Amino acid sequence: MEDFSFCLRLHVSAAFSAKAKVAMSRFEPGSSINYEKMHENINIVRRRLNRPLTLSEKIVYGHLDDPAGQEIDRGRTYLRLRPDRVAMQDATAQMAMLQFISSGLPKVAVPSTIHCDHLIEAQIGGVQDLQKAKEVNQEVYNFLATAAAKYGVGFWKPGSGIIHQIILENYAYPGVMLIGTDSHTPNGGGLGAICIGVGGADAVDVMAGIPWELKCPKVIGVRLTGTLSGWTSPKDVILKVAGILTVKGGTGAIVEYHGPGVDSISCTGMATICNMGAEIGATTSVFPYNHRMRTYMEKTGRGEIASVADQFKDDLVPDKDCEYDQVIEINLSELKPHINGPFTPDLAHPVSEIGAIAKKSGWPLEVKVGLIGSCTNSSYEDMGRAASLAKQALDKGLKCKAQFTVTPGSEQIRATIERDGYAKILSDVGGIVLANACGPCIGQWDRRDVKKGEKNTIVTSFNRNFTARNDANPATHAFVTSPEIVTALALAGTLNFNPETDYLTAPNGEKFKLEPPTGEELPSRDFDPGQDTYQHPPAENSAVDVSPSSNRLQLLEPFDKWHGKDLEDMRILIKVKGKCTTDHISAAGPWLKFRGHLDNISNNLLIGAVNIENDAVNKVKNQLTGEYGGVPDVARHYKASGVNWVVVGDENYGEGSSREHAALEPRHLGGRAIIVKSFARIHADGYLHWVIEYFHDLESVSCCCLLFSHLVCCSETNLKKQGLLPLTFANPNDYDKIRPDDKISITGLKSFAPGKPLTAMIKHSDGSQESISLNHTFNETQIEWFKAGSALNRMKELQ
């Protein structure tokens, strides 16, 4: 490694030019890029395992707290890791910073940032919507800005852009390990980074300098051959993979792309693929370091990092003959444009067939709205390719038949596409340029062209399309595809249009076919940084205030400890029928404003879940009064009456991204256990998603406080961290034995141990009883969380 036994440190300096200031301000004082340490750790682990390593393993094991002593077994053991950075979006940062405040620590131990992107609602247009968001969310923005200043956290103001695009432009680099409080944090894998979505408690662990725990992931290899061309885009790769693996297929694994086809994909295209890997439940996704990444880093002001990465390139690509737990082969030369949906991101269709499939399925053919942008597809290349199609239509006098919206991923992208003419072309064809924010992708969309319950179709370049996610309308059929296909379908106004073969009609009656989209990977000139929206942590502390009368923010109180006995005669709050995503457990939309107030946001607990007793949502029987009420109301009544309760669920409980609130809310309202057939990796993201990722290991030392919010940890771990019992039926058919009016006792807690099942005694209302076996995945540390009442409580016990 020549003479690279050093830690490259980059500091922000007032001497930087205006353009470099935005590009380099990401490196707070004390941030570091330590390839040499990672190299040492990789060598230690390689000698121990005596086998070639995948790229995922190199980066993950390269960040082990104890590479010499850590037990490593993919899919079984828990790893203690030292991530390099933390990034938080504003909806989840509220709870994360509230936890950090309660820890009593003076400053964060690793470079951390907050990004204001989730609280801006799309209504009219970017400028007006941003101004309204600043007014409506002033209290929250002020809290986040002052808390960031006090604790040494960088703060990206409203309008700066979407967290994942900002990370790609500023913080991600090959080999870094970054955790972010959003399920689509894996976007950074497009720059060869291991970026994992977590919940607030995990973020607090890392900010406190505590090793972070992750179950040793398996590795799914996706070997790419051939070359992308024509209408096929990077988005089609992940749409195809989602169709193969489904929303559960990536659970517990990192998806690692490799093979000769990789070099035909741009860096931002690779980010698109990694971003949507969250929809298959993957821990994260990653690409090997190559010249595309180097060029992107140079263009975004990080040529110094690229130069060091070149010296350590062997650590940033997989070893020859490394073994994957599963391998998928995709020939990019044969891959066709895809469109996935509706209602789930893994229902994959070739674009050439979607019209016929929609007719047969009774899906609305008319495209009401086409939406491009979001964290998944808002790069300069994406906007350029969409604009190339819009320009062809304009040249023929044609505008979009559907409504058309454009969401720039960052202020830098907005300013650059405006300078280079793309924004004007997209506006001229009928597009409305929205704020640099998440907007409709997470349900922050004040949609008024259709009534709630009205059946309609929208097509987006987003990543997720669960029922009602984008517009709160359960009758909206949302399809996800590439920005190019969205633009083509918005021009045609129908799903029954294949741009590779079909013709559009100009106003003068002329028939014409769109030529395949084209677009520059990066601007020929430097990026235009636009407005300076970054607040660097000041040298002096500032004050942070949370008013007791606030309905947006609430300081946290510790949960009660386990009383040392079995949990007896618990009521069933709800027996959930079918799919129960984090959108069902903790909806976003209008609830987003309460992310920093646990008691208020708990009023959305499971209001979207279907009650098996009556096939209704938010209508359950209060077994103490005999009356029906909303799920949160019944839960509150049980808690006030001193009655513990459980939730019973089906397969893949907690799919989505907002996991933390999905765990905090049931605990806050008196829940003790979640008993299901299986858990999703991610206790779910976004908008009508909510509950956000939260947990993993905490152990020893001084730090945090409870709760948090929005993509990527294991749903089970989130629940464990709040002192709940996530349990699965040893026999999935036992789900059918439980009746809504039963009482359940969980026994065996006095001898609670890893690998040892617990027993549930079911008492039916007719006086009969039966027992069933319940499995769990608790390790010793997590059992201590349960006994203490939460991971945070346990941390404080160890101080």
Side-chain angles (χ1 to χ4, degrees):
M1 287 297 133
E2 299 188 55
D3 191 23
F4 280 89
S5 57
F6 63 91
C7 177
L8 174 62
R9 294 182 181 272
L10 300 176
H11 297 271
V12 179
S13 167
F16 284 131
S17 68
K19 290 181 179 179
K21 182 179 179 184
V22 174
M24 297 304 294
S25 63
R26 59 190 173 271
F27 291 105
E28 299 82 4
S31 66
S32 63
I33 304 164
N34 196 340
Y35 282 127
E36 209 256 348
K37 176 63 175 175
M38 189 174 84
H39 179 71
E40 291 177 1
N41 287 359
I42 291 171
N43 284 339
I44 291 170
V45 172
R46 184 184 280 111
R47 286 193 297 268
R48 288 182 55 204
L49 299 182
N50 192 31
R51 62 171 174 80
L53 300 177
T54 67
L55 170 60
S56 308
E57 291 180 306
K58 288 182 179 182
I59 302 176
V60 172
Y61 303 162
H63 286 81
L64 285 170
D65 183 51
D66 178 17
Q70 172 72 61
E71 184 182 7
I72 299 172
D73 185 5
R74 293 199 314 219
R76 186 181 68 82
T77 59
Y78 283 84
L79 307 178
R80 293 173 61 80
L81 302 165
R82 292 283 185 178
D84 299 301
R85 296 193 65 95
V86 173
M88 299 166 279
Q89 43 93 335
D90 50 356
T92 52
Q94 296 170 58
M95 194 59 72
M97 293 309 295
L98 286 168
Q99 293 180 78
F100 193 83
I101 288 170
S102 66
S103 75
L105 295 176
K107 295 283 183 183
V108 294
V110 302
S112 304
T113 50
I114 293 171
H115 304 259
C116 295
D117 62 357
H118 271 59
L119 302 180
I120 303 169
E121 184 179 52
Q123 289 183 319
I124 304 169
V127 175
Q128 302 95 318
D129 294 345
L130 177 59
Q131 182 57 39
K132 180 178 180 181
K134 290 178 178 179
E135 295 168 1
V136 171
N137 302 304
Q138 181 180 5
E139 180 185 15
V140 171
Y141 290 149
N142 181 64
F143 164 71
L144 292 175
T146 55
K150 181 176 179 63
Y151 296 103
V153 176
F155 181 70
W156 290 84
K157 302 172 187 177
S160 59
I162 304 172
I163 178 173
H164 312 303
Q165 183 67 25
I166 297 295
I167 289 172
L168 196 72
E169 294 173 353
N170 295 276
Y171 301 116
Y173 59 85
V176 73
M177 174 173 276
L178 179 150
I179 67 166
T181 60
D182 189 276
S183 55
H184 295 104
T185 300
N187 190 79
L191 252 181
I194 290 293
C195 298
I196 301 176
V198 300
D202 285 339
V204 173
D205 284 356
V206 178
M207 290 191 292
I210 297 173
W212 176 64
E213 187 177 273
L214 174 72
K215 191 170 187 178
C216 188
K218 294 184 178 181
V219 187
I220 297 173
V222 179
R223 186 171 187 273
L224 303 178
T225 57
T227 304
L228 286 177
S229 63
W231 283 89
T232 306
S233 74
K235 185 66 165 283
D236 296 306
V237 176
I238 185 57
L239 294 174
K240 179 69 172 179
V241 171
I244 294 170
L245 289 177
T246 78
V247 293
K248 295 193 295 182
T251 302
I254 294 177
V255 178
E256 183 174 313
Y257 294 86
H258 63 283
V262 167
D263 286 341
S264 75
I265 304 173
S266 66
C267 177
T268 52
M270 292 186 246
T272 291
I273 294 167
C274 292
N275 177 294
M276 198 174 160
E279 310 327 313
I280 57 174
T283 300
T284 191
S285 301
V286 68
F287 277 82
Y289 179 53
N290 67 1
H291 71 281
R292 299 273 198 166
M293 297 181 189
R294 179 186 176 88
T295 301
Y296 183 79
M297 286 194 288
E298 290 172 342
K299 204 70 172 178
T300 51
R302 290 171 288 174
E304 301 96 331
I305 303 176
S307 295
V308 181
D310 285 343
Q311 301 299 322
F312 289 84
K313 185 172 182 180
D314 287 347
D315 292 337
L316 305 174
V317 296
D319 287 340
K320 183 181 179 181
D321 298 325
C322 64
E323 293 187 2
Y324 297 100
D325 294 285
Q326 178 183 351
V327 175
I328 296 170
E329 302 259 359
I330 296 179
N331 185 334
L332 300 179
S333 299
E334 298 175 356
L335 184 64
K336 289 294 186 179
H338 274 63
I339 182 168
N340 290 21
F343 306 122
T344 183
D346 59 353
L347 186 58
H349 322 278
V351 171
S352 59
E353 300 175 11
I354 187 62
I357 295 172
K359 287 180 182 179
K360 182 178 179 181
S361 303
W363 302 333
L365 284 174
E366 180 188 4
V367 174
K368 288 286 190 180
V369 191
L371 305 97
I372 67 170
S374 86
C375 64
T376 318
N377 277 114
S378 60
S379 68
Y380 185 82
E381 180 182 36
D382 289 329
M383 295 301 175
R385 285 170 65 87
S388 75
L389 298 173
K391 180 67 164 57
Q392 293 180 54
L394 288 171
D395 288 346
K396 298 291 185 180
L398 185 67
K399 292 190 176 184
C400 290
K401 290 185 179 179
Q403 293 184 45
F404 189 48
T405 70
V406 181
T407 304
S410 69
E411 171 61 9
Q412 178 167 277
I413 291 295
R414 183 209 62 77
T416 306
I417 66 171
E418 187 171 297
R419 179 197 70 191
D420 293 350
Y422 293 165
K424 185 178 188 308
I425 293 172
L426 294 169
S427 295
D428 288 348
V429 84
I432 298 174
V433 179
L434 301 175
N436 313 322
C438 300
C441 182
I442 63 164
Q444 284 284 48
W445 183 17
D446 183 18
R447 187 182 180 193
R448 299 182 180 181
D449 63 298
V450 297
K451 295 179 180 179
K452 191 170 183 178
E454 183 180 338
K455 200 173 177 182
N456 73 100
T457 285
I458 64 173
V459 290
T460 81
S461 69
F462 304 161
N463 44 41
R464 194 164 285 166
N465 61 342
F466 296 129
T467 302
R469 170 177 172 83
N470 302 120
D471 61 0
N473 181 3
T476 293
H477 291 55
F479 296 83
V480 292
T481 185
S482 68
E484 300 92 315
I485 296 299
V486 172
T487 304
L489 295 181
L491 288 168
T494 177
L495 285 178
N496 193 26
F497 178 74
N498 177 9
E500 293 186 293
T501 59
D502 295 344
Y503 288 78
L504 294 170
T505 303
N508 65 3
E510 178 188 355
K511 301 284 187 181
F512 71 98
K513 193 167 75 169
L514 293 169
E515 295 296 324
T518 58
E520 296 295 325
E521 179 177 345
L522 295 165
S524 55
R525 292 184 280 171
D526 288 341
F527 278 106
D528 183 341
Q531 299 179 37
D532 185 359
T533 55
Y534 179 71
Q535 172 188 295
H536 195 273
E540 297 182 2
N541 288 349
S542 60
V544 180
D545 222 7
V546 177
S547 171
S549 62
S550 172
N551 72 344
R552 299 287 300 269
L553 300 163
Q554 179 188 47
L555 293 175
L556 303 170
E557 296 291 336
F559 291 135
D560 60 309
K561 297 178 64 173
W562 175 53
H563 52 41
K565 306 173 184 176
D566 289 336
L567 299 172
E568 297 183 344
D569 292 336
M570 295 183 290
R571 288 292 184 178
I572 296 168
L573 176 64
I574 182 173
K575 182 179 179 182
V576 178
K577 177 182 178 181
K579 184 184 282 273
C580 191
T581 71
T582 49
D583 283 354
H584 298 94
I585 304 168
S586 178
W591 296 96
L592 204 59
K593 61 180 176 286
F594 297 127
R595 283 265 182 125
H597 197 295
L598 179 58
D599 193 58
N600 282 346
I601 199 171
S602 293
N603 287 323
N604 75 0
L605 175 66
L606 288 160
I607 61 175
V610 176
N611 181 5
I612 198 170
E613 181 184 14
N614 53 17
D615 283 335
V617 296
N618 201 29
K619 185 178 180 181
V620 296
K621 187 174 184 179
N622 185 326
Q623 300 298 333
L624 302 183
T625 66
E627 299 177 351
Y628 283 86
V631 179
D633 299 324
V634 174
R636 288 185 186 278
H637 187 263
Y638 286 162
K639 181 180 179 180
S641 302
V643 175
N644 293 326
W645 52 263
V646 305
V647 170
V648 176
D650 212 317
E651 297 277 5
N652 211 34
Y653 182 91
E655 171 192 352
S657 93
S658 267
R659 302 151 189 100
E660 189 158 64
H661 286 92
L664 289 167
E665 293 177 31
R667 183 71 164 99
H668 175 65
L669 295 185
R672 292 296 176 179
I674 309 294
I675 306 171
V676 300
K677 292 182 181 179
S678 66
F679 287 98
R681 187 197 108 63
I682 348 185
H683 214 130
D685 162 31
Y687 154 9
L688 263 178
H689 292 126
W690 256 117
V691 281
I692 255 160
E693 11 215 73
Y694 159 53
F695 320 28
H696 266 55
D697 175 80
L698 286 142
E699 147 139 311
S700 90
V701 341
S702 63
C703 163
C704 343
C705 166
L706 291 144
L707 292 61
F708 183 7
S709 73
H710 185 200
L711 206 2
V712 190
C713 293
C714 168
S715 58
E716 291 179 79
T717 308
N718 291 341
L719 295 165
K720 293 172 186 175
K721 281 205 165 182
Q722 303 305 351
L724 285 159
L725 291 170
L727 305 169
T728 55
F729 296 104
N731 179 356
N733 292 329
D734 286 343
Y735 168 89
D736 298 321
K737 294 181 179 179
I738 297 178
R739 307 167 191 167
D741 59 352
D742 287 342
K743 292 181 179 179
I744 291 182
S745 298
I746 296 177
T747 64
L749 291 173
K750 291 183 179 179
S751 57
F752 196 8
K756 182 180 180 182
L758 297 171
T759 298
M761 180 61 68
I762 306 169
K763 297 180 181 178
H764 300 302
S765 58
D766 61 8
S768 62
Q769 298 185 21
E770 53 188 319
S771 66
I772 61 174
S773 181
L774 300 174
N775 294 330
H776 66 83
T777 60
F778 280 82
N779 60 27
E780 292 286 1
T781 298
Q782 294 166 345
I783 290 173
E784 293 303 318
W785 297 347
F786 169 74
K787 292 179 178 178
S790 71
L792 177 64
N793 290 358
R794 179 57 179 165
M795 180 190 298
K796 292 194 170 184
E797 288 178 354
L798 295 172
Q799 289 183 18

